[in-house]
């Protein structure tokens, strides 16, 4: 069994939990609370900016030009592609996307970003790939799950969101990340594999918590000034 297949098996409980999460159910039913959508998009805009920073850290650690080109391409996808599902969410919530940019990360999103950044700074290339993988992989599976269970028509409020993540492009991004991780895994020992597994499972758990964060509209306990890293 490939390393990424083993990871997916270990994380199955978390994936199943994500498919049944109230936010994901709300995407399928088309009845999400607009305030939860707004909370999610504010956090996700900053999360995706941090995700691009992490690709940048992966470039800094790359020793092969081909790896640099790969991470560079992935930045372009996040930058130009993921604005479409965000725009869909904003339209349904009745808000302008620009009004949701530049907010500090809520605690869970902050935790997720810190986990990926520290892995990128201190971990091996395999750990970095493992920490990044749940981002496209869980969304690709959510997209496919909603396509199968809801079979949305173009007039479904979240048609664009669902079809974007169920598309082949997100599948290819997931498969390429898995292929790179599996290639790395063939050349390392059990300790290295264990560290990559831990990084992967933590990102999966934080994917689940990210949806919780949106439903509960999680905020910091005190409204002191917070750092915003991007605009
Ligand atoms: C938290 C999170 N995880 C994954 C994705 C999909 N790239 C996203 N937009 N946001």
């Amino acid at each position: 069994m490939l390393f990424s297949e083993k990871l997916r098996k270990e994380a199955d409980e978390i994936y199943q939990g994500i498919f049944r999460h109230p936010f994901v159910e709300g995407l399928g039913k088309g009845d999400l609370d607009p305030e939860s959508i707004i909370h999610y998009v504010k956090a996700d805009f900053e999360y995706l900016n941090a995700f691009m920073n992490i690709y940048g850290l992966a470039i800094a650690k790359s020793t092969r030009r081909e790896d640099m080109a790969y991470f560079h391409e992935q930045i372009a996808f996040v930058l130009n592609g993921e604005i479409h599902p965000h725009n869909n969410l904003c339209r349904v919530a009745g808000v302008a996307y620009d009004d949701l940019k530049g907010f500090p990360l809520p605690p869970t999103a902050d935790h997720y970003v810190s986990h990926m950044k520290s892995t990128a700074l201190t971990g091996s290339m395999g750990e970095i790939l493992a920490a990044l993988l749940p981002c496209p992989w869980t969304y690709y599976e959510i997209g496919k799950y909603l396509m199968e269970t809801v079979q949305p028509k173009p007039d479904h409020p979240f048609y664009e969101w669902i079809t974007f993540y169920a598309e082949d492009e997100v599948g290819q991004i997931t498969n390429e990340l898995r292929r790179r991780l599996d290639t790395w895994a063939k050349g390392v020992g059990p300790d290295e594999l264990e560290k990559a597994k831990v990084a992967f499972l933590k990102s999966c758990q934080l994917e689940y918590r990210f949806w919780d964060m949106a439903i509960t509209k999680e905020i910091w306990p005190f409204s002191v000034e917070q750092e915003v890293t991007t605009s």
Side-chain angles (χ1 to χ4, degrees), residues 40 44 47-48 82 112 135 139 165 207 210:
Y40 169 87
D44 207 47
Y47 166 88
L48 291 177
E82 297 216 43
Y112 193 0
C135 172
Y139 274 52
Y165 286 113
E207 282 292 341
F210 206 96

Side-chain angles (χ1 to χ4, degrees), residues 14-15 27-28 76 95 98-99 104 128 135 159 176 178 180 194 206 210:
I14 309 173
Y15 274 69
L27 283 169
V95 285
D98 278 346
D99 292 345
I128 301 174
C135 172
Y159 181 78
E176 180 56 19
R178 286 181 60 183
R180 284 166 182 271
E194 182 61 24
L206 289 165
F210 206 96

Side-chain angles (χ1 to χ4, degrees), residues 2 7 18 34 90 115 131 144 155 159 168 180 182 188 203 221 224:
L2 291 170
L7 294 181
I18 289 173
C90 290
H115 159 57
K144 282 194 304 176
D155 63 350
Y159 181 78
D168 279 353
R180 284 166 182 271
D182 289 330
V188 298
S203 290
V224 292

Side-chain angles (χ1 to χ4, degrees), residues 40 43-45 47-48 51 77-78 82 85-86 109 112 116 132-140 142 161 164-165 170 203 206-207 210-211 213:
Y40 169 87
D44 207 47
F45 177 75
Y47 166 88
L48 291 177
F51 207 83
F77 176 78
V78 176
E82 297 216 43
H86 277 181
Y112 193 0
M116 290 190 294
L132 294 173
L133 183 53
C135 172
W137 201 351
T138 58
Y139 274 52
Y140 179 50
I142 292 168
W161 195 99
F164 179 88
Y165 286 113
V170 179
S203 290
L206 289 165
E207 282 292 341
F210 206 96
W211 297 118
M213 177 201 74

